[in-house]
């Protein structure tokens, strides 16, 4: 297992790097992965007994904490199960109407256009895009949802994985909004993808509840939320690493 490999890594010159969404471990010389600093690969989750890269505590290098999701099929199934639970048993909505109203007012100040397209990600029941259109007349706002259950909600591209660019959306969106970055198996990839959909001078809004530095987030975090980050860790990201 990755954790067993991590325990052996402390006296070796290589680290067990999780190299893809399937959770596959590749033993990699530290000097060959030093360029990964700040990109969110979160080696500390898999090699706690090792420095990981260069001798400093791994948490000083990585942007948050990322849990292995197993296979991609398992990841998609887990997200689908969470979607089903949210719309059939709890009707759970994380972002609220006043929050979107506040963000819409912010966008009116920041956007260089008064009409166009907006894109939301991980929208579940699709309320975000409806509320944005309510507060931003002239904008057509769509959402993406990985579960096929999303196709019953208006203005939802479903099933669709937000780690990919929706067809026809390259450089199109005046703004992109998501409160679902914690659903990502690869946060840097997700953000790079979302930025690709923005038009020139477009605005990316990431809505997030930050974990505390010493909080045991994994004891209460559902499997559908593989990514957790503190506010301090978020500031470690290097913008140039996402471009």
């Amino acid at each position: 297992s990755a954790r067993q490999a991590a325990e052996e890594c402390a006296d070796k010159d290589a680290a067990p790097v999780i190299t893809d969404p399937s959770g596959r471990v590749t033993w990699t010389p530290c000097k060959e992965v030093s360029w990964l600093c700040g990109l969110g690969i979160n080696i500390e989750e898999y090699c706690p007994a090792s420095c990981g890269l260069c001798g400093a505590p791994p948490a000083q290098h990585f942007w948050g904490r990322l849990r292995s999701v197993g296979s991609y099929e398992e990841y998609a199934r887990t997200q689908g199960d969470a979607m089903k639970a949210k719309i059939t048993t709890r009707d759970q909505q994380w972002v609220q109407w006043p929050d979107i109203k506040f963000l819409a007012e912010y966008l009116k100040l920041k956007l260089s256009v008064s009409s166009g397209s907006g894109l939301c990600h991980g929208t579940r029941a699709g309320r975000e895009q409806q509320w944005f259109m309510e507060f931003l007349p002239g904008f057509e706002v769509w959402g993406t949802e990985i579960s096929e259950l999303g196709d019953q909600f208006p203005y939802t591209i479903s099933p669709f994985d937000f780690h990919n660019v929706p067809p026809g959306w390259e450089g199109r969106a005046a703004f992109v909004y998501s409160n679902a970055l914690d659903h990502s198996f690869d946060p840097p990839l997700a953000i790079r993808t979302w930025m690709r959909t923005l038009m020139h001078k477009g605005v990316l809004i990431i809505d997030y509840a930050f974990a505390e530095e010493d909080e045991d987030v994994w004891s209460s975090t559902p499997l559908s939320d593989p990514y957790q980050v503190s506010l301090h860790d978020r500031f470690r990201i290097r913008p140039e690493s996402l471009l």
Side-chain angles (χ1 to χ4, degrees):
S1 70
R3 194 159 294 280
Q4 289 173 328
E7 292 174 354
E8 298 175 0
C9 181
D11 297 320
K12 298 179 183 256
D13 294 324
V17 178
I18 305 301
T19 54
D20 60 41
S22 72
R24 182 176 58 190
V25 175
T26 300
W27 283 92
T28 309
C30 294
K31 63 182 180 180
E32 293 184 11
V33 293
S34 60
W35 65 273
L36 293 172
C37 273
L39 298 186
I41 309 302
N42 293 291
I43 218 168
E44 71 270 19
E45 281 299 308
Y46 308 101
C47 49
S50 172
C51 70
L53 292 178
C54 67
Q60 299 302 312
H61 290 289
F62 296 101
W63 181 39
R65 289 166 281 184
L66 191 64
R67 175 169 50 194
S68 176
V69 297
S71 67
Y72 181 79
E73 290 72 20
E74 180 181 348
Y75 168 77
R77 183 171 58 252
T78 298
Q79 294 300 323
D81 290 344
M83 168 67 162
K84 184 176 181 180
K86 285 187 176 183
I87 67 173
T88 62
T89 64
R90 301 192 297 269
D91 190 28
Q92 189 178 52
Q93 175 72 25
W94 192 84
V95 69
Q96 299 298 308
W97 181 88
D99 303 322
I100 298 299
K101 182 179 181 181
F102 171 83
L103 292 173
E105 292 302 317
Y106 170 80
L107 287 170
K108 289 177 183 178
L109 298 174
K110 294 296 182 180
L111 293 177
S112 59
V113 295
S114 58
S115 62
S117 300
L119 188 60
C120 302
H121 290 298
T123 56
R124 301 303 194 203
R127 293 188 177 103
E128 291 100 310
Q129 54 263 46
Q130 298 294 333
W131 291 337
F132 270 120
M133 285 190 285
E134 176 182 348
F135 297 123
L136 294 172
F139 282 88
E140 183 176 275
V141 185
W142 286 77
T144 66
E145 172 52 48
I146 193 171
S147 169
E148 62 185 12
L149 295 174
D151 64 5
Q152 64 187 287
F153 301 105
Y155 292 92
T156 300
I157 305 169
S158 168
F160 193 82
D161 183 342
F162 63 44
H163 295 89
N164 303 303
V165 174
W169 278 90
E170 187 98 26
R172 172 180 167 185
F175 70 91
V176 172
Y177 166 84
S178 182
N179 59 60
L181 187 61
D182 55 340
H183 299 176
S184 175
F185 61 78
D186 189 337
L189 172 62
I191 295 177
R192 284 196 299 271
T193 300
W194 301 350
M195 290 175 70
R196 285 174 56 194
T197 64
L198 287 172
M199 61 184 292
H200 180 59
K201 294 187 178 181
V203 176
L204 171 62
I205 299 176
I206 299 175
D207 196 348
Y208 206 93
F210 295 103
E212 297 296 330
E213 288 291 323
D214 56 353
E215 182 181 352
D216 181 13
V217 294
W218 304 122
S219 64
S220 59
T221 301
L223 294 176
S224 58
D225 299 352
Y227 174 59
Q228 297 296 317
V229 64
S230 69
L231 182 60
H232 182 266
D233 286 338
R234 175 60 61 82
F235 282 126
R236 290 186 182 132
I237 188 168
R238 299 176 302 184
E240 64 271 18
S241 69
L242 295 177
L243 299 177

PDB file of all heavy atoms in Angstrom, residues 25-56:
ATOM      1  N   VAL A  25       1.227   4.169  -7.259  1.00  0.00           N
ATOM      2  CA  VAL A  25       2.445   4.710  -6.642  1.00  0.00           C
ATOM      3  C   VAL A  25       3.651   4.465  -7.552  1.00  0.00           C
ATOM      4  O   VAL A  25       3.854   3.356  -8.039  1.00  0.00           O
ATOM      5  CB  VAL A  25       2.707   4.051  -5.273  1.00  0.00           C
ATOM      6  CG1 VAL A  25       4.042   4.522  -4.693  1.00  0.00           C
ATOM      7  CG2 VAL A  25       1.577   4.382  -4.315  1.00  0.00           C
ATOM      8  N   THR A  26       4.418   5.501  -7.786  1.00  0.00           N
ATOM      9  CA  THR A  26       5.665   5.381  -8.538  1.00  0.00           C
ATOM     10  C   THR A  26       6.805   5.891  -7.666  1.00  0.00           C
ATOM     11  O   THR A  26       6.772   7.031  -7.186  1.00  0.00           O
ATOM     12  CB  THR A  26       5.619   6.212  -9.838  1.00  0.00           C
ATOM     13  OG1 THR A  26       4.546   5.748 -10.656  1.00  0.00           O
ATOM     14  CG2 THR A  26       6.928   6.080 -10.598  1.00  0.00           C
ATOM     15  N   TRP A  27       7.804   5.037  -7.428  1.00  0.00           N
ATOM     16  CA  TRP A  27       8.967   5.462  -6.643  1.00  0.00           C
ATOM     17  C   TRP A  27       9.806   6.403  -7.503  1.00  0.00           C
ATOM     18  O   TRP A  27      10.270   6.034  -8.585  1.00  0.00           O
ATOM     19  CB  TRP A  27       9.784   4.251  -6.219  1.00  0.00           C
ATOM     20  CG  TRP A  27       9.139   3.530  -5.076  1.00  0.00           C
ATOM     21  CD1 TRP A  27       8.266   2.489  -5.146  1.00  0.00           C
ATOM     22  CD2 TRP A  27       9.286   3.832  -3.690  1.00  0.00           C
ATOM     23  NE1 TRP A  27       7.856   2.116  -3.897  1.00  0.00           N
ATOM     24  CE2 TRP A  27       8.477   2.918  -2.975  1.00  0.00           C
ATOM     25  CE3 TRP A  27      10.019   4.778  -2.992  1.00  0.00           C
ATOM     26  CZ2 TRP A  27       8.379   2.930  -1.591  1.00  0.00           C
ATOM     27  CZ3 TRP A  27       9.928   4.782  -1.611  1.00  0.00           C
ATOM     28  CH2 TRP A  27       9.116   3.870  -0.918  1.00  0.00           C
ATOM     29  N   THR A  28       9.978   7.619  -7.026  1.00  0.00           N
ATOM     30  CA  THR A  28      10.602   8.662  -7.820  1.00  0.00           C
ATOM     31  C   THR A  28      11.720   9.335  -7.031  1.00  0.00           C
ATOM     32  O   THR A  28      11.507   9.752  -5.892  1.00  0.00           O
ATOM     33  CB  THR A  28       9.559   9.731  -8.207  1.00  0.00           C
ATOM     34  OG1 THR A  28       8.426   9.093  -8.786  1.00  0.00           O
ATOM     35  CG2 THR A  28      10.149  10.726  -9.193  1.00  0.00           C
ATOM     36  N   PRO A  29      12.929   9.468  -7.608  1.00  0.00           N
ATOM     37  CA  PRO A  29      14.006  10.186  -6.919  1.00  0.00           C
ATOM     38  C   PRO A  29      13.570  11.609  -6.585  1.00  0.00           C
ATOM     39  O   PRO A  29      12.973  12.294  -7.410  1.00  0.00           O
ATOM     40  CB  PRO A  29      15.154  10.175  -7.936  1.00  0.00           C
ATOM     41  CG  PRO A  29      14.866   8.991  -8.806  1.00  0.00           C
ATOM     42  CD  PRO A  29      13.371   8.922  -8.902  1.00  0.00           C
ATOM     43  N   CYS A  30      13.865  12.046  -5.379  1.00  0.00           N
ATOM     44  CA  CYS A  30      13.416  13.370  -4.939  1.00  0.00           C
ATOM     45  C   CYS A  30      13.859  14.481  -5.891  1.00  0.00           C
ATOM     46  O   CYS A  30      13.120  15.415  -6.158  1.00  0.00           O
ATOM     47  CB  CYS A  30      13.912  13.650  -3.531  1.00  0.00           C
ATOM     48  SG  CYS A  30      13.184  12.567  -2.288  1.00  0.00           S
ATOM     49  N   LYS A  31      15.083  14.384  -6.390  1.00  0.00           N
ATOM     50  CA  LYS A  31      15.585  15.450  -7.254  1.00  0.00           C
ATOM     51  C   LYS A  31      14.783  15.559  -8.547  1.00  0.00           C
ATOM     52  O   LYS A  31      14.785  16.607  -9.198  1.00  0.00           O
ATOM     53  CB  LYS A  31      17.061  15.233  -7.571  1.00  0.00           C
ATOM     54  CG  LYS A  31      17.358  13.963  -8.356  1.00  0.00           C
ATOM     55  CD  LYS A  31      18.858  13.808  -8.586  1.00  0.00           C
ATOM     56  CE  LYS A  31      19.178  12.537  -9.388  1.00  0.00           C
ATOM     57  NZ  LYS A  31      20.630  12.395  -9.618  1.00  0.00           N
ATOM     58  N   GLU A  32      14.096  14.483  -8.915  1.00  0.00           N
ATOM     59  CA  GLU A  32      13.312  14.509 -10.146  1.00  0.00           C
ATOM     60  C   GLU A  32      11.906  15.072  -9.948  1.00  0.00           C
ATOM     61  O   GLU A  32      11.214  15.364 -10.922  1.00  0.00           O
ATOM     62  CB  GLU A  32      13.211  13.092 -10.728  1.00  0.00           C
ATOM     63  CG  GLU A  32      14.541  12.544 -11.221  1.00  0.00           C
ATOM     64  CD  GLU A  32      14.395  11.189 -11.879  1.00  0.00           C
ATOM     65  OE1 GLU A  32      13.246  10.771 -12.136  1.00  0.00           O
ATOM     66  OE2 GLU A  32      15.436  10.542 -12.128  1.00  0.00           O
ATOM     67  N   VAL A  33      11.478  15.207  -8.691  1.00  0.00           N
ATOM     68  CA  VAL A  33      10.126  15.718  -8.458  1.00  0.00           C
ATOM     69  C   VAL A  33      10.121  17.053  -7.730  1.00  0.00           C
ATOM     70  O   VAL A  33       9.071  17.536  -7.324  1.00  0.00           O
ATOM     71  CB  VAL A  33       9.274  14.692  -7.674  1.00  0.00           C
ATOM     72  CG1 VAL A  33       9.023  13.461  -8.505  1.00  0.00           C
ATOM     73  CG2 VAL A  33       9.916  14.351  -6.344  1.00  0.00           C
ATOM     74  N   SER A  34      11.279  17.659  -7.554  1.00  0.00           N
ATOM     75  CA  SER A  34      11.321  18.927  -6.826  1.00  0.00           C
ATOM     76  C   SER A  34      10.508  20.014  -7.536  1.00  0.00           C
ATOM     77  O   SER A  34       9.999  20.933  -6.892  1.00  0.00           O
ATOM     78  CB  SER A  34      12.763  19.387  -6.644  1.00  0.00           C
ATOM     79  OG  SER A  34      13.397  19.560  -7.896  1.00  0.00           O
ATOM     80  N   TRP A  35      10.329  19.904  -8.846  1.00  0.00           N
ATOM     81  CA  TRP A  35       9.551  20.899  -9.579  1.00  0.00           C
ATOM     82  C   TRP A  35       8.069  20.841  -9.228  1.00  0.00           C
ATOM     83  O   TRP A  35       7.300  21.758  -9.539  1.00  0.00           O
ATOM     84  CB  TRP A  35       9.719  20.700 -11.087  1.00  0.00           C
ATOM     85  CG  TRP A  35       9.172  19.397 -11.599  1.00  0.00           C
ATOM     86  CD1 TRP A  35       9.829  18.203 -11.647  1.00  0.00           C
ATOM     87  CD2 TRP A  35       7.875  19.149 -12.109  1.00  0.00           C
ATOM     88  NE1 TRP A  35       9.016  17.220 -12.156  1.00  0.00           N
ATOM     89  CE2 TRP A  35       7.804  17.778 -12.448  1.00  0.00           C
ATOM     90  CE3 TRP A  35       6.749  19.941 -12.307  1.00  0.00           C
ATOM     91  CZ2 TRP A  35       6.664  17.189 -12.974  1.00  0.00           C
ATOM     92  CZ3 TRP A  35       5.606  19.350 -12.836  1.00  0.00           C
ATOM     93  CH2 TRP A  35       5.578  17.995 -13.171  1.00  0.00           C
ATOM     94  N   LEU A  36       7.643  19.786  -8.523  1.00  0.00           N
ATOM     95  CA  LEU A  36       6.240  19.660  -8.140  1.00  0.00           C
ATOM     96  C   LEU A  36       5.872  20.530  -6.948  1.00  0.00           C
ATOM     97  O   LEU A  36       4.701  20.616  -6.584  1.00  0.00           O
ATOM     98  CB  LEU A  36       5.920  18.198  -7.805  1.00  0.00           C
ATOM     99  CG  LEU A  36       5.981  17.211  -8.979  1.00  0.00           C
ATOM    100  CD1 LEU A  36       5.840  15.789  -8.484  1.00  0.00           C
ATOM    101  CD2 LEU A  36       4.894  17.530  -9.995  1.00  0.00           C
ATOM    102  N   CYS A  37       6.846  21.171  -6.328  1.00  0.00           N
ATOM    103  CA  CYS A  37       6.581  22.009  -5.164  1.00  0.00           C
ATOM    104  C   CYS A  37       5.447  22.994  -5.445  1.00  0.00           C
ATOM    105  O   CYS A  37       5.482  23.716  -6.431  1.00  0.00           O
ATOM    106  CB  CYS A  37       7.829  22.798  -4.769  1.00  0.00           C
ATOM    107  SG  CYS A  37       8.919  21.917  -3.663  1.00  0.00           S
ATOM    108  N   GLY A  38       4.473  23.025  -4.566  1.00  0.00           N
ATOM    109  CA  GLY A  38       3.392  23.990  -4.672  1.00  0.00           C
ATOM    110  C   GLY A  38       2.272  23.619  -5.602  1.00  0.00           C
ATOM    111  O   GLY A  38       1.311  24.358  -5.749  1.00  0.00           O
ATOM    112  N   LEU A  39       2.347  22.455  -6.261  1.00  0.00           N
ATOM    113  CA  LEU A  39       1.319  22.088  -7.227  1.00  0.00           C
ATOM    114  C   LEU A  39       0.214  21.216  -6.643  1.00  0.00           C
ATOM    115  O   LEU A  39      -0.673  20.772  -7.356  1.00  0.00           O
ATOM    116  CB  LEU A  39       1.950  21.361  -8.426  1.00  0.00           C
ATOM    117  CG  LEU A  39       2.945  22.176  -9.237  1.00  0.00           C
ATOM    118  CD1 LEU A  39       3.376  21.414 -10.471  1.00  0.00           C
ATOM    119  CD2 LEU A  39       2.329  23.513  -9.643  1.00  0.00           C
ATOM    120  N   GLY A  40       0.262  20.937  -5.346  1.00  0.00           N
ATOM    121  CA  GLY A  40      -0.846  20.225  -4.725  1.00  0.00           C
ATOM    122  C   GLY A  40      -0.794  18.727  -4.834  1.00  0.00           C
ATOM    123  O   GLY A  40      -1.818  18.059  -4.734  1.00  0.00           O
ATOM    124  N   ILE A  41       0.373  18.130  -5.047  1.00  0.00           N
ATOM    125  CA  ILE A  41       0.459  16.674  -5.175  1.00  0.00           C
ATOM    126  C   ILE A  41       0.376  16.001  -3.807  1.00  0.00           C
ATOM    127  O   ILE A  41       0.071  14.827  -3.695  1.00  0.00           O
ATOM    128  CB  ILE A  41       1.770  16.267  -5.890  1.00  0.00           C
ATOM    129  CG1 ILE A  41       1.912  17.070  -7.177  1.00  0.00           C
ATOM    130  CG2 ILE A  41       1.778  14.785  -6.201  1.00  0.00           C
ATOM    131  CD1 ILE A  41       0.755  16.893  -8.148  1.00  0.00           C
ATOM    132  N   ASN A  42       0.596  16.754  -2.743  1.00  0.00           N
ATOM    133  CA  ASN A  42       0.348  16.304  -1.383  1.00  0.00           C
ATOM    134  C   ASN A  42       1.004  14.993  -1.006  1.00  0.00           C
ATOM    135  O   ASN A  42       0.377  14.046  -0.558  1.00  0.00           O
ATOM    136  CB  ASN A  42      -1.155  16.194  -1.137  1.00  0.00           C
ATOM    137  CG  ASN A  42      -1.793  17.564  -1.172  1.00  0.00           C
ATOM    138  OD1 ASN A  42      -1.560  18.365  -0.284  1.00  0.00           O
ATOM    139  ND2 ASN A  42      -2.541  17.819  -2.208  1.00  0.00           N
ATOM    140  N   ILE A  43       2.293  14.961  -1.158  1.00  0.00           N
ATOM    141  CA  ILE A  43       3.027  13.750  -0.842  1.00  0.00           C
ATOM    142  C   ILE A  43       2.949  13.400   0.635  1.00  0.00           C
ATOM    143  O   ILE A  43       3.094  12.238   1.019  1.00  0.00           O
ATOM    144  CB  ILE A  43       4.488  13.915  -1.317  1.00  0.00           C
ATOM    145  CG1 ILE A  43       5.012  12.615  -1.887  1.00  0.00           C
ATOM    146  CG2 ILE A  43       5.367  14.451  -0.223  1.00  0.00           C
ATOM    147  CD1 ILE A  43       6.314  12.760  -2.621  1.00  0.00           C
ATOM    148  N   GLU A  44       2.645  14.395   1.491  1.00  0.00           N
ATOM    149  CA  GLU A  44       2.631  14.118   2.927  1.00  0.00           C
ATOM    150  C   GLU A  44       1.531  13.138   3.322  1.00  0.00           C
ATOM    151  O   GLU A  44       1.623  12.473   4.351  1.00  0.00           O
ATOM    152  CB  GLU A  44       2.492  15.402   3.745  1.00  0.00           C
ATOM    153  CG  GLU A  44       1.127  16.066   3.685  1.00  0.00           C
ATOM    154  CD  GLU A  44       1.026  17.065   2.560  1.00  0.00           C
ATOM    155  OE1 GLU A  44       1.840  16.994   1.624  1.00  0.00           O
ATOM    156  OE2 GLU A  44       0.132  17.908   2.621  1.00  0.00           O
ATOM    157  N   GLU A  45       0.497  13.022   2.505  1.00  0.00           N
ATOM    158  CA  GLU A  45      -0.557  12.068   2.828  1.00  0.00           C
ATOM    159  C   GLU A  45      -0.087  10.632   2.628  1.00  0.00           C
ATOM    160  O   GLU A  45      -0.669   9.701   3.171  1.00  0.00           O
ATOM    161  CB  GLU A  45      -1.788  12.317   1.943  1.00  0.00           C
ATOM    162  CG  GLU A  45      -2.641  13.466   2.416  1.00  0.00           C
ATOM    163  CD  GLU A  45      -3.196  13.220   3.810  1.00  0.00           C
ATOM    164  OE1 GLU A  45      -3.800  12.157   4.036  1.00  0.00           O
ATOM    165  OE2 GLU A  45      -3.022  14.092   4.681  1.00  0.00           O
ATOM    166  N   TYR A  46       0.945  10.445   1.838  1.00  0.00           N
ATOM    167  CA  TYR A  46       1.363   9.097   1.467  1.00  0.00           C
ATOM    168  C   TYR A  46       2.746   8.723   1.990  1.00  0.00           C
ATOM    169  O   TYR A  46       3.085   7.551   2.030  1.00  0.00           O
ATOM    170  CB  TYR A  46       1.329   8.955  -0.057  1.00  0.00           C
ATOM    171  CG  TYR A  46       0.004   9.386  -0.612  1.00  0.00           C
ATOM    172  CD1 TYR A  46      -0.172  10.627  -1.203  1.00  0.00           C
ATOM    173  CD2 TYR A  46      -1.108   8.560  -0.482  1.00  0.00           C
ATOM    174  CE1 TYR A  46      -1.402  11.032  -1.664  1.00  0.00           C
ATOM    175  CE2 TYR A  46      -2.346   8.959  -0.940  1.00  0.00           C
ATOM    176  CZ  TYR A  46      -2.490  10.196  -1.540  1.00  0.00           C
ATOM    177  OH  TYR A  46      -3.717  10.595  -1.982  1.00  0.00           O
ATOM    178  N   CYS A  47       3.534   9.692   2.389  1.00  0.00           N
ATOM    179  CA  CYS A  47       4.851   9.351   2.939  1.00  0.00           C
ATOM    180  C   CYS A  47       5.131  10.200   4.172  1.00  0.00           C
ATOM    181  O   CYS A  47       6.026  11.035   4.175  1.00  0.00           O
ATOM    182  CB  CYS A  47       5.955   9.505   1.898  1.00  0.00           C
ATOM    183  SG  CYS A  47       5.928  11.071   1.002  1.00  0.00           S
ATOM    184  N   PRO A  48       4.358  10.019   5.253  1.00  0.00           N
ATOM    185  CA  PRO A  48       4.528  10.838   6.448  1.00  0.00           C
ATOM    186  C   PRO A  48       5.856  10.632   7.147  1.00  0.00           C
ATOM    187  O   PRO A  48       6.286  11.486   7.924  1.00  0.00           O
ATOM    188  CB  PRO A  48       3.353  10.391   7.337  1.00  0.00           C
ATOM    189  CG  PRO A  48       3.055   9.000   6.880  1.00  0.00           C
ATOM    190  CD  PRO A  48       3.296   9.020   5.414  1.00  0.00           C
ATOM    191  N   ALA A  49       6.526   9.516   6.911  1.00  0.00           N
ATOM    192  CA  ALA A  49       7.801   9.259   7.570  1.00  0.00           C
ATOM    193  C   ALA A  49       8.968   9.850   6.801  1.00  0.00           C
ATOM    194  O   ALA A  49      10.104   9.779   7.242  1.00  0.00           O
ATOM    195  CB  ALA A  49       8.009   7.754   7.744  1.00  0.00           C
ATOM    196  N   SER A  50       8.699  10.422   5.640  1.00  0.00           N
ATOM    197  CA  SER A  50       9.773  10.905   4.772  1.00  0.00           C
ATOM    198  C   SER A  50       9.701  12.412   4.589  1.00  0.00           C
ATOM    199  O   SER A  50       8.658  13.034   4.742  1.00  0.00           O
ATOM    200  CB  SER A  50       9.670  10.235   3.402  1.00  0.00           C
ATOM    201  OG  SER A  50      10.571  10.821   2.501  1.00  0.00           O
ATOM    202  N   CYS A  51      10.837  12.996   4.216  1.00  0.00           N
ATOM    203  CA  CYS A  51      10.830  14.422   3.895  1.00  0.00           C
ATOM    204  C   CYS A  51      10.027  14.673   2.629  1.00  0.00           C
ATOM    205  O   CYS A  51       9.504  15.747   2.414  1.00  0.00           O
ATOM    206  CB  CYS A  51      12.255  14.939   3.710  1.00  0.00           C
ATOM    207  SG  CYS A  51      13.059  14.338   2.216  1.00  0.00           S
ATOM    208  N   GLY A  52       9.953  13.682   1.762  1.00  0.00           N
ATOM    209  CA  GLY A  52       9.193  13.844   0.530  1.00  0.00           C
ATOM    210  C   GLY A  52      10.014  14.451  -0.580  1.00  0.00           C
ATOM    211  O   GLY A  52      10.207  13.850  -1.617  1.00  0.00           O
ATOM    212  N   LEU A  53      10.553  15.659  -0.352  1.00  0.00           N
ATOM    213  CA  LEU A  53      11.300  16.290  -1.435  1.00  0.00           C
ATOM    214  C   LEU A  53      12.690  16.750  -1.025  1.00  0.00           C
ATOM    215  O   LEU A  53      13.669  16.285  -1.558  1.00  0.00           O
ATOM    216  CB  LEU A  53      10.514  17.480  -1.996  1.00  0.00           C
ATOM    217  CG  LEU A  53       9.228  17.126  -2.736  1.00  0.00           C
ATOM    218  CD1 LEU A  53       8.539  18.406  -3.194  1.00  0.00           C
ATOM    219  CD2 LEU A  53       9.527  16.264  -3.942  1.00  0.00           C
ATOM    220  N   CYS A  54      12.782  17.666  -0.067  1.00  0.00           N
ATOM    221  CA  CYS A  54      14.092  18.276   0.126  1.00  0.00           C
ATOM    222  C   CYS A  54      14.497  18.458   1.584  1.00  0.00           C
ATOM    223  O   CYS A  54      15.351  19.273   1.878  1.00  0.00           O
ATOM    224  CB  CYS A  54      14.143  19.628  -0.582  1.00  0.00           C
ATOM    225  SG  CYS A  54      13.063  20.865   0.150  1.00  0.00           S
ATOM    226  N   GLY A  55      13.890  17.762   2.498  1.00  0.00           N
ATOM    227  CA  GLY A  55      14.328  17.820   3.888  1.00  0.00           C
ATOM    228  C   GLY A  55      13.446  18.632   4.801  1.00  0.00           C
ATOM    229  O   GLY A  55      13.458  18.445   6.008  1.00  0.00           O
ATOM    230  N   ALA A  56      12.666  19.559   4.245  1.00  0.00           N
ATOM    231  CA  ALA A  56      11.729  20.326   5.061  1.00  0.00           C
ATOM    232  C   ALA A  56      10.438  19.530   5.233  1.00  0.00           C
ATOM    233  O   ALA A  56      10.178  18.600   4.469  1.00  0.00           O
ATOM    234  CB  ALA A  56      11.432  21.665   4.388  1.00  0.00           C
TER     235      ALA A  56
END
